Amino acid sequence: KKPLYENCKLYAPDGTLLCTCNKRKINWYLSNNLAELVKQSEGEPLAAKLLFEPSGKPLDGSDFYCQDKVNECCCCSRTEELVRKNVIPKEYRKHLPPEFKDRQSHDVVLLCVQCHCSSNIFDNIMRDELANQYGIPVNYKNNFMVVNRTKSNVKAAAKALTATNNKIPEERKQELRGRITEYLGHEPTAEEIMELKYIAVNDVKCDGTVPDHGSEVVKRVIDQGKVEEFIVRWRNFFLSSMKPAYLPKGWSVDHKTRDKCNKDNEKEVDEAEMATNQVEEAGQRTMEEGELKEDIMEDKQKECKSDDNIVGADSMSVD
């Protein structure tokens, strides 16, 4: 598995280091003739120099986006089976105003699978606090369950065929196997029939009328003008619940997001991020941030999903 931090370098025309990023971003600039490769020593990450003057450059001491980041769990320093963790969970983050989420990688950190699962469980504590504060239950969604009759019939057929006291006539067995074959699209194996005994028969439907918990909470936060306080609250919660000892240098609870309402009418944007966004702010927003993609291994997450059905989450406490 490739490292999540690839630590490629992006430079301004005058040689000033603007930020470290992944290969995808470097290749995007190169393919659009907006940068040229910088010769590196063998084994070093890719580097490119912009062919246009960026709108801003890193301030003195602003090294969070310019440093090489270590591929390790920020809580236990493990270097294997790493996944990205959104300090502000996606169900809230995706509803934040663009200036608080777009191309902002400060609040995406690396955790090992075990720590990621623990953090997700802790997040349920904060969800409950928000639910009580705003009067919006966590399961307040525009979804409802409907029985899928096809799945229900297939499940019943699988149970009948695998019953220990199976005395079904052969003709009936063929009929039941035919039902399963039609569902799978091929002749079922014994293992597949056994697995079909346990399939869920309910499908989630949406009536499109009631917003979900995350959307409604963020809407209230925005109406109150407390988006930054909301972000800081989640950062503090992450620190107190997980006690990360290996965060990247410069990671801070008070890390500034864009501020459109300060007295001097200036946007307090991290200059390093601003430099890499020049082209995108001109209307070219086709590049996706690879570092913000959730890259979680399915087989690991199946054992430790942090959905509402996690047992015991309410009994956990935070130091």
Side-chain angles (χ1 to χ4, degrees):
K1 188 178 176 64
K2 69 177 184 179
L4 297 183
Y5 290 142
E6 295 179 303
N7 293 317
C8 299
K9 305 289 193 300
L10 188 64
Y11 295 93
D14 64 1
T16 301
L17 177 61
L18 298 175
C19 68
T20 57
C21 58
N22 59 13
K23 291 180 182 177
R24 184 176 185 139
K25 176 175 280 190
I26 294 291
N27 289 331
W28 185 87
Y29 281 109
L30 295 173
S31 64
N32 285 276
N33 298 317
L34 297 170
E36 61 183 8
L37 274 176
V38 174
K39 187 176 181 180
Q40 297 284 86
S41 301
E42 186 177 353
E44 290 189 355
L46 279 177
K49 182 187 293 185
L50 296 180
L51 298 177
F52 62 92
E53 191 62 36
S55 57
K57 295 179 182 178
L59 300 173
D60 291 340
S62 176
D63 59 354
F64 180 81
Y65 293 103
C66 294
Q67 64 182 310
D68 284 350
K69 297 184 177 69
V70 182
N71 284 282
E72 65 179 6
C73 174
C74 69
C75 292
C76 69
S77 76
R78 186 177 179 180
T79 58
E80 299 177 347
E81 298 182 319
L82 300 176
V83 293
R84 294 185 178 93
K85 164 69 179 179
N86 285 282
V87 174
I88 300 98
K90 277 190 171 181
E91 67 197 85
Y92 304 105
R93 179 185 173 97
K94 67 182 180 181
H95 299 294
L96 293 173
E99 60 268 27
F100 292 99
K101 62 180 180 180
D102 288 355
R103 302 173 299 279
Q104 299 283 342
S105 62
H106 176 271
D107 293 317
V108 182
V109 297
L110 299 190
L111 294 179
C112 66
V113 172
Q114 289 81 356
C115 290
H116 192 278
C117 293
S118 298
S119 181
N120 285 347
I121 293 173
F122 277 124
D123 286 349
N124 287 331
I125 298 173
M126 177 66 87
R127 287 188 182 94
D128 289 340
E129 289 182 11
L130 293 170
N132 292 331
Q133 178 180 346
Y134 292 102
I136 305 169
V138 173
N139 60 352
Y140 185 65
K141 296 181 178 180
N142 53 341
N143 297 333
F144 58 94
M145 306 301 292
V146 175
V147 175
N148 185 312
R149 294 300 176 187
T150 300
K151 290 181 180 179
S152 180
N153 290 335
V154 168
K155 184 173 185 175
K159 283 186 174 181
L161 289 171
T162 56
T164 54
N165 58 345
N166 191 335
K167 297 181 180 181
I168 304 174
E170 189 61 33
E171 184 178 345
R172 176 60 174 164
K173 286 183 180 180
Q174 292 302 320
E175 181 184 339
L176 295 175
R177 289 182 67 89
R179 186 186 301 174
I180 295 174
T181 298
E182 183 179 356
Y183 175 75
L184 294 176
H186 62 266
E187 187 70 22
T189 64
E191 290 77 14
E192 287 175 325
I193 294 176
M194 185 65 68
E195 290 175 0
L196 288 173
K197 287 174 56 177
Y198 306 103
I199 63 169
V201 299
N202 292 331
D203 287 342
V204 178
K205 299 293 183 181
C206 174
D207 63 15
T209 58
V210 184
D212 64 18
H213 166 81
S215 172
E216 195 67 12
V217 166
V218 173
K219 181 180 177 182
R220 303 280 183 89
V221 170
I222 293 173
D223 289 344
Q224 295 172 357
K226 295 183 177 180
V227 175
E228 290 190 346
E229 289 89 336
F230 181 76
I231 292 173
V232 168
R233 181 177 178 181
W234 272 106
R235 289 172 180 168
N236 275 318
F237 180 79
F238 178 69
L239 292 181
S240 62
S241 61
M242 295 302 296
K243 297 178 173 55
Y246 305 94
L247 285 166
K249 181 181 178 181
W251 195 97
S252 168
V253 167
D254 299 318
H255 180 80
K256 295 297 182 181
T257 55
R258 302 187 187 196
D259 184 1
K260 295 183 177 180
C261 304
N262 63 79
K263 295 181 182 179
D264 299 324
N265 195 31
E266 294 179 357
K267 293 181 180 180
E268 294 182 336
V269 188
D270 185 281
E271 292 293 334
E273 282 288 277
M274 189 175 179
T276 64
N277 296 336
Q278 172 73 13
V279 177
E280 294 161 303
E281 292 174 355
Q284 301 184 48
R285 300 181 180 273
T286 58
M287 180 176 61
E288 297 177 357
E289 282 294 336
E291 290 186 5
L292 298 183
K293 237 183 214 180
E294 197 71 30
D295 187 22
I296 301 176
M297 295 169 288
E298 292 283 337
D299 54 332
K300 292 292 182 181
Q301 289 297 73
K302 282 179 182 177
E303 348 178 315
C304 49
K305 277 185 178 178
S306 61
D307 295 332
D308 297 335
N309 60 353
I310 294 178
V311 179
D314 293 337
S315 64
M316 301 187 69
S317 60
V318 182
D319 292 340

